[in-house]
Amino acid sequence: MQFIPSNLRGPLFMIISTGSYLVNDTMMKLATTGLPPYEVLLLRGAAATLWGVPLLLMLGYARQIALLFERKVLRRNLFELLAILCYVVALANMQIADSTALGQVTPLIVLVGSSMLFGENIGAMRMALIGLGFVGALMVAQPTMQGISAYALLALGNAAFAAVRDLAGRKVGAEVPGMIVAISAVLVVLVGSGAAHLVSEQWVMPEGHHLLLIAGAGLFLIFGHFFIFMAYRVGPTSAVAPFYYCFTVWAVISGLLVFRQFPNALAVCGILLVMASGLIIVSLDERKRRLAMVA
């Protein structure tokens, strides 16, 4: 991927990641009709494993399989497990707009954490643009916040755990391939969701269309895991995190194409705000890079 300018790689990977996650979520939402949520997670994990293990071998990572269980990789992916367990329960009991809106807290937590833990300088202009992106994401999601309860706390828990996951991912060594981290996340969530299913649900026999949807979700899940990890590996947090808000833009596209839900004027304005904040941040980084080259 050397043909992609260095300052664009992180944002581009985040855009691809959020799009992949949204395709996964759309297929999951369709598959949960008639199936318990943790069972769907379990089946998706099995499908992603069947996709992922041959992919690792094709990429020549057979000798690095042990890195799937490397301490820092597992620590990062345990937070992934906690995030998804919170998210599935919240999504099943809240309006999707509310759970999506609460999830937009993640980039803000990541940025504050990066500043505190890694000494990354964010700057007032970037913070203002990130805040603008957050407002745009809320305009797209348009939460009603009706019936806020413990499930809202779970949605916030998902945002917090996802942020800690991304911060923990910064500690994973450069010698660990991104695809190894992605498949490790799949395996950790597979085991965790299997345990949650056994404890809290009864098995329901899936039908053929369920299995097709889950197989597709498993494939896109791998790309979501891979690109979100690589986004933070190749780009500074202040430039990458704001593009997490693209999740809401992809959600509007999914609603339009799959569920025939048309965005209203407020949502369109929100999309424009999200896009504007991201583009301005990229232009600031490009200007900074050129000034550094001149100096």
Side-chain angles (χ1 to χ4, degrees):
M1 298 186 180
Q2 298 300 318
F3 61 91
I4 303 174
S6 59
N7 66 310
L8 295 181
R9 289 174 195 166
L12 178 61
F13 289 173
M14 180 60 80
I15 292 171
I16 296 173
S17 171
T18 54
S20 298
Y21 277 134
L22 201 283
V23 174
N24 159 76
D25 285 352
T26 301
M27 291 181 171
M28 289 279 286
K29 184 174 179 62
L30 293 171
T32 51
T33 303
L35 294 179
Y38 288 148
E39 179 181 330
V40 173
L41 277 183
L42 173 63
L43 291 172
R44 184 192 68 175
T49 302
L50 291 175
W51 286 113
V53 172
L55 184 58
L56 283 181
L57 298 177
M58 288 173 57
L59 292 173
Y61 294 143
R63 295 183 179 180
Q64 296 171 284
I65 291 293
L67 292 175
L68 291 169
F69 311 104
E70 195 268 338
R71 179 174 56 87
K72 292 180 181 179
V73 173
L74 286 179
R75 182 174 61 189
R76 185 253 184 207
N77 291 333
L78 283 174
F79 288 114
E80 169 69 27
L81 171 62
L82 294 173
I84 191 59
L85 290 180
C86 288
Y87 178 73
V88 168
V89 177
L91 187 62
N93 293 277
M94 294 178 66
Q95 293 190 34
I96 191 169
D98 295 342
S99 59
T100 299
L102 291 171
Q104 303 311 302
V105 178
T106 295
L108 301 177
I109 300 174
V110 170
L111 287 161
V112 172
S114 294
S115 178
M116 294 176 62
L117 297 175
F118 306 115
E120 185 170 323
N121 183 25
I122 299 172
M125 176 63 77
R126 279 191 176 84
M127 282 302 299
L129 291 169
I130 290 160
L132 186 67
F134 179 66
V135 171
L138 291 180
M139 290 169 65
V140 175
Q142 297 175 26
T144 63
M145 294 306 169
Q146 295 177 353
I148 289 182
S149 63
Y151 299 117
L153 295 179
L154 286 175
L156 286 172
N158 163 59
F161 285 130
V164 177
R165 171 204 65 198
D166 294 333
L167 291 170
R170 295 273 299 271
K171 294 286 189 178
V172 175
E175 75 280 0
V176 181
M179 191 57 69
I180 289 284
V181 177
I183 304 305
S184 175
V186 166
L187 295 174
V188 170
V189 174
L190 172 64
V191 173
S193 59
H197 170 68
L198 289 174
V199 169
S200 61
E201 297 175 342
Q202 293 291 324
W203 176 264
V204 177
M205 184 60 66
E207 298 180 7
H209 72 281
H210 290 133
L211 296 177
L212 288 174
L213 288 167
I214 289 169
L219 178 62
F220 281 95
L221 176 70
I222 292 173
F223 293 114
H225 284 329
F226 172 75
F227 281 107
I228 199 168
F229 174 75
M230 292 303 297
Y232 285 111
R233 170 172 278 184
V234 303
T237 305
S238 59
V240 171
F243 286 86
Y244 185 90
Y245 297 134
C246 289
F247 190 95
T248 56
V249 179
W250 289 118
V252 168
I253 295 173
S254 172
L256 180 63
L257 297 180
V258 179
F259 302 106
R260 296 295 186 266
Q261 298 171 344
F262 292 86
N264 56 25
L266 184 62
V268 172
C269 291
I271 291 172
L272 294 176
L273 275 180
V274 169
M275 294 174 63
S277 64
L279 290 173
I280 294 172
I281 286 174
V282 168
S283 66
L284 286 175
D285 285 341
E286 177 64 15
R287 181 172 178 270
K288 182 179 179 181
R289 185 180 69 86
R290 288 180 178 178
L291 288 174
M293 290 175 63
V294 171

